[in-house]
Amino acid sequence: MSHDRWAGHAGLRGDPAVIRLSASLLDRTDRQCADFAALKARTGLWPRIRERRRHPPLETFPLGLVMRALDAVEFGGRDLRQAAEEAVAANRTPVHPGVAVWVSHACRAYLRAAEWITDELEAEGIALAPERLPRIVQSASAAELRMLTAWGRWYGSTDGTVREFRRLRMSRAGDEHTPSTLALAFVTAAGRRAVGNVYQDVPVEVIDDADAPTRIRIVEVTLLEGVPPRVLLDDSPERVRRAYLERVRPLAQGVVLGGERRAGSDCLECKLRAHCEDLPHAPGLLGAEEAGTHRRTWSVTTGRDYAVCPARAHMRQLHLPAAAPGDDSAVRRGRAVHRWLEAAHRRGRPCSPGDLPDPEAAEPGPLAAELTAEEYRQARPYLLAHLATCPLAGPGRIDQVRPEPVVAAFDPVADVLVIAHPDLLRRVDGRLVYREQKTTTGAPPSGTPEEVFAQVPQLALAVLLIAHGVFGEPEGTVELEVLTPSRAHLTAFDAADPQVLQAARGQITRMAGPWLHDTEFAASPGPWCERCPTAQWCPAPRTPAEDGHGGPIEVDGVLIDPRTGEVLDASGPLTTRAAAVCASLRDPDPDEAPPF
């Protein structure tokens, strides 16, 4: 039986025989923790050590507000604007002003998409009505109760022959061929309507439909105005059942069994967090003397966003849709270089001139599939410079090479899960070496450790992760490789050096300290508003740049090129905010993709 592994586990209490699997869990990759998904599906299990839940000061699930407002429109006949405002105002937890703006936008986008769907089906003589009761598939045996659920919006034709499930996406269209699409279709086709609470009751009380369906539709609705809905599946119930049983059911059985553990963002809500040997604990990692407002994740991206504007940090952590960066060759170039290097280093051997043929050569290089022809043309000078400092070329015995891993550590003092994304980890003669890579057309970061860490705070976090024993022994080297079109610059820091360690602690404490205890995340308008990825949701008056034609912006006495993030002139050392603005312009994307 699949629950034997969890029965009597020292870190858990409760009943492992209740399995409530959400369809979305079926799309996870092997880079994510398999045991987290298995335990999340076991809703009858809880951590053995009871913890007092500390609630966040602001709402953290904006999609729930959208669902509540749409319910008021579709079932209560409320005006859209009024419904959105009431959903925000009546929420038990305060809602950030920027989130409130997005909720109204998302509701408008959804109802516009619903109009498109209605028009399309009207041409076929079909009319759908919203259904208040969700559906669930559940199966009970003497050993287990298994349930398959789907979160979204439900519709059906008046004669019951057509059933439609609408999956909500915050900003990014998903892959229509994912296992979850078939699982959603299976719940729509075979699920019974739930009278009880789908997420709490054991078992869930259900009722049957009067008529059997003949057509199942799964539609994806992206909550951005102007984005049309997308039909992911439109098929018969019989074909849906057969496809699910053949292709997805074996996968679902594997998900509930669990498997390899991988520390990462899943650890935040994992029931085994306190007992998992794969998650390092690093008390004092963020330099806090007490816990923040509630448990959450922090990365250098979080810290840099907060330094620029607390409202931006909050909205990006909630994965509100972000504006796409402009047509910036420096950003595209940097991503292309990173992508090529990750693929090259995964081979486990040094990069060589043979990997980088002339763009006009008849024979493409062995990594030609990683970049487009134009991306390769732009990235090649930087990649040629990299050959002199390739981390796999030695000297020394090199092993345990890990390109682009996810590193997670829990700071129990701050009650924060810290996430880092090194460009490369390796061992050289047994010693850990943690490398970060950057591209620039200007001068590389230089100066004292304090000055370099202000410009590249990822290095400061790397030093602290090593010093706190996250990788084993509290010793290692942190490297910064800066690639220019003509040469590579390599700077190294000993994580055990007292001066280096002091500089790293100061940098991370300055970045994380105010964020930990903020309860409002108020907007901080400035010239950075012009290129802010979440400006469309911010109700604060936008501060335009002094030069509306793309000229330099000034932040704390530092002149910055808004296209590249390069420092053009500085009257003194970079402040945390000025460095954060530079970094956000060079790399405008968050660390992780949104969950929906």
Side-chain angles (χ1 to χ4, degrees), residues 302-427:
T302 308
R304 126 189 143 187
D305 281 338
Y306 187 89
V308 177
C309 174
R312 177 197 291 196
H314 179 71
M315 290 187 279
R316 294 193 76 180
Q317 279 213 300
L318 297 186
H319 301 295
L320 295 195
D327 185 22
D328 195 317
S329 59
V331 173
R332 294 197 310 272
R333 176 201 71 215
R335 291 174 180 164
V337 168
H338 272 80
R339 196 161 67 249
W340 192 94
L341 289 174
E342 178 183 2
H345 293 155
R346 286 198 184 281
R347 302 175 304 175
R349 60 181 176 82
C351 303
S352 69
D355 297 329
L356 296 163
D358 187 278
E360 307 302 327
E363 291 296 326
L367 297 164
E370 300 301 324
L371 306 179
T372 66
E374 182 58 29
E375 286 174 334
Y376 179 67
R377 191 181 305 277
Q378 292 184 5
R380 184 172 179 265
Y382 299 84
L383 297 172
L384 287 171
H386 165 77
L387 297 179
T389 52
C390 179
L392 305 189
R397 179 176 54 86
I398 298 171
D399 58 9
Q400 298 183 37
V401 178
R402 297 172 59 197
E404 303 283 348
V406 175
V407 175
F410 183 68
D411 182 347
V413 178
D415 198 18
V416 170
L417 179 70
V418 179
I419 303 291
H421 298 267
D423 289 317
L424 186 84
L425 295 179
R426 72 191 192 280
R427 296 269 174 178

Side-chain angles (χ1 to χ4, degrees), residues 288-305:
E289 297 182 355
E290 59 181 0
T293 55
H294 63 292
R295 183 173 299 152
R296 53 202 152 142
T297 61
W298 187 90
S299 69
V300 166
T301 295
T302 308
R304 126 189 143 187
D305 281 338

